[in-house]
């Protein structure tokens, strides 16, 4: 159908304004970024993100000027990749010694960088990046949010780190959506442009039990990829998943396919395409093993 073509083009051309730990991160061609165990080096005003494709283990490279929008440079010749492998600077000595014996932790280190129960927010560290801005220096933790198979479905967890040079502690600062201004070094977090409360939505079934659904109406779409945050909590992320139906689509979308840390934090950002206008319906539900439940508070839109 010819009419679909411009829509697909505009989706591909969308640029993102946020880093959202655990959410699918698209490159500037609209494809999922596939560069795991990554490293980043800066040359001039360009950042180069090199990592390995989880699909076929080939070295991949992406380029960005803002740490948000990455252009795929494609598979790199392995001998070339060596050149891009970053030398990790350690400005304050050895303060980020932390490691894990397995993907699921537990994490060890000089100090706890995140609450131990979070297993560094469900991620495996790959690199720290320092942004020396005109107003502040920001340290960024970069990790892989591996799925259980370590496969191409895995996403990334990037978070700013608070460094206390005197106490020699490093603490990850969890934000569901954030960015760093690469010129000033300042970190900002996403604000809401619209919020749909669950109590205003049509609730079918028993809202706090598995297999029940909540419907949100008249959600504003842009026709391009846009950020939506689903505010919900689950009884246990391992015991089930939330899903959504968008408009008249008969197919449920598994929230864990949009954000590999869905259910782990009570704000779950996803990057989705909705129809333009106040015309979208999103049905939210949950299913899982016996006793699993999800409680949804609201859907929040950003950057309309
Ligand atoms: C959705 O918007 C339409 C048109 O503005 C309005 O008539 C309708 O009542 C709205 N539905 C809900 C559930 O708010
Ligand atoms: C949803 O996705 C997760 C992660 O891929 C998977 O473990 C789970 O089984 C899926 N749930 C359903 C209902 O398909």
């Amino acid at each position: 159908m010819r009419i679909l073509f411009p829509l697909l083009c505009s989706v591909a051309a969308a640029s993102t304004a946020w880093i959202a730990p655990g959410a699918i991160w698209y490159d500037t061609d609209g494809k999922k970024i596939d560069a795991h165990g990554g490293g980043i080096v800066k040359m001039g005003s360009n950042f180069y993100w090199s990592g390995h494709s989880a699909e076929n283990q080939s070295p991949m490279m992406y380029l960005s000027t803002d740490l948000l929008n990455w252009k795929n440079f494609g598979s790199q010749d392995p001998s070339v990749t060596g050149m891009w492998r970053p030398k990790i600077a350690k400005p304050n000595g050895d303060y980020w010694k932390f490691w894990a014996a397995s993907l699921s932790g537990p994490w060890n280190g000089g100090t706890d960088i995140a609450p131990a129960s979070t297993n560094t927010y469900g991620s495996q560290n790959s690199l720290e990046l320092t942004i020396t801005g005109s107003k502040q220096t920001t340290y960024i933790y970069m990790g892989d949010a591996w799925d259980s198979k370590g496969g191409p479905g895995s996403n990334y967890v990037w978070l700013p780190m608070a460094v206390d040079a005197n106490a020699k502690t490093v603490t990850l600062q969890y934000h569901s959506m954030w960015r760093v201004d690469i010129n000033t070094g300042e970190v900002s977090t996403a604000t809401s442009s619209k919020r749909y409360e669950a109590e205003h939505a049509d609730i079918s079934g028993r809202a706090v039990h598995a297999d029940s659904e909540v419907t949100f109406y008249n959600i504003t779409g842009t026709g391009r990829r846009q950020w939506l945050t689903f505010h919900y909590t689950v009884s246990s992320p391992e015991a089930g998943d939330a899903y959504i139906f968008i408009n008249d689509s008969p197919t449920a979308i598994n929230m864990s396919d949009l954000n590999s840390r869905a259910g782990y934090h009570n704000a779950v950002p996803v990057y989705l395409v909705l129809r333009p206008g106040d015309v979208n319906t999103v049905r939210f539900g949950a299913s899982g093993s016996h006793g699993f439940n999800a409680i949804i508070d609201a859907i929040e839109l950003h950057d309309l």
Side-chain angles (χ1 to χ4, degrees), residues 170-183:
V170 178
T171 315
L172 297 194
Q173 312 220 281
Y174 188 82
H175 303 296
S176 61
M177 292 172 73
W178 67 281
R179 67 180 166 221
V180 58
D181 183 313
I182 58 150
N183 296 312

Side-chain angles (χ1 to χ4, degrees), residues 39-50 61-67 70 73 76 80-87 129-131 182:
I40 289 187
V41 288
K42 190 173 188 221
M43 290 191 191
S45 54
N46 293 333
F47 293 93
Y48 296 88
W49 175 355
S50 64
M61 190 159 71
Y62 295 83
L63 182 155
S64 175
T65 55
D66 60 9
L67 293 176
W70 294 90
F73 264 29
Q76 302 299 304
V80 173
T81 314
M83 271 174 49
W84 299 110
R85 273 292 168 195
K87 298 280 176 288
L129 177 68
T130 303
I131 303 295
I182 58 150

Side-chain angles (χ1 to χ4, degrees), residues 7-274:
L7 178 66
L8 291 175
C9 283
S10 66
V11 168
S15 65
T16 184
W18 302 106
I19 294 171
I24 296 180
W25 202 337
Y26 295 98
D27 66 17
T28 52
D29 298 324
K31 296 209 184 97
K32 220 173 144 189
I33 294 176
D34 188 13
H36 301 272
I40 289 187
V41 288
K42 190 173 188 221
M43 290 191 191
S45 54
N46 293 333
F47 293 93
Y48 296 88
W49 175 355
S50 64
H52 276 81
S53 163
E55 205 150 10
N56 54 25
Q57 294 305 311
S58 62
M60 299 290 290
M61 190 159 71
Y62 295 83
L63 182 155
S64 175
T65 55
D66 60 9
L67 293 176
L68 298 166
N69 297 286
W70 294 90
K71 183 174 168 44
N72 185 356
F73 264 29
S75 267
Q76 302 299 304
D77 177 330
S79 62
V80 173
T81 314
M83 271 174 49
W84 299 110
R85 273 292 168 195
K87 298 280 176 288
I88 301 172
K90 293 183 177 174
N92 286 3
D94 63 352
Y95 59 76
W96 53 50
K97 269 191 188 154
F98 45 90
W99 61 90
S102 79
L103 289 187
S104 58
W107 290 82
N108 306 292
T111 56
D112 277 342
I113 60 166
S117 62
T118 70
N119 285 332
T120 45
Y121 300 102
S123 66
Q124 183 183 33
N125 177 238
S126 62
L127 181 80
E128 293 71 37
L129 177 68
T130 303
I131 303 295
T132 310
S134 58
K135 296 204 173 138
Q136 69 183 64
T137 298
T138 292
Y139 302 97
I140 302 175
Y141 166 95
M142 300 162 55
D144 285 290
W146 291 110
D147 63 16
S148 55
K149 299 171 225 87
S154 306
N155 293 311
Y156 310 93
V157 171
W158 289 20
L159 291 169
M161 302 192 287
V163 175
D164 184 332
N166 294 327
K168 291 207 176 0
T169 58
V170 178
T171 315
L172 297 194
Q173 312 220 281
Y174 188 82
H175 303 296
S176 61
M177 292 172 73
W178 67 281
R179 67 180 166 221
V180 58
D181 183 313
I182 58 150
N183 296 312
T184 66
E186 290 168 304
V187 168
S188 53
T189 54
T191 53
S192 177
S193 56
K194 237 176 186 180
R195 191 177 162 105
Y196 300 81
E197 299 292 340
E199 67 249 31
H200 297 144
D202 186 18
I203 295 170
S204 61
R206 297 157 70 197
V208 297
H209 284 80
D211 305 319
S212 64
E213 291 180 352
V214 176
T215 306
F216 296 86
Y217 294 100
N218 294 8
I219 295 182
T220 309
T222 60
R224 304 180 308 275
R225 275 197 221 283
Q226 66 187 90
W227 285 106
L228 283 78
T229 296
F230 286 76
H231 293 275
Y232 69 94
T233 52
V234 296
S235 50
S236 159
E238 285 83 34
D241 291 282
Y243 59 84
I244 52 171
F245 287 94
I246 299 176
N247 296 323
D248 42 17
S249 167
T251 316
I253 302 173
N254 183 342
M255 288 294 284
S256 298
D257 287 340
L258 299 175
N259 186 317
S260 46
R261 291 300 170 259
Y264 286 78
H265 310 289
N266 61 13
V268 183
V270 298
Y271 204 32
L272 279 178
V273 183
L274 297 178

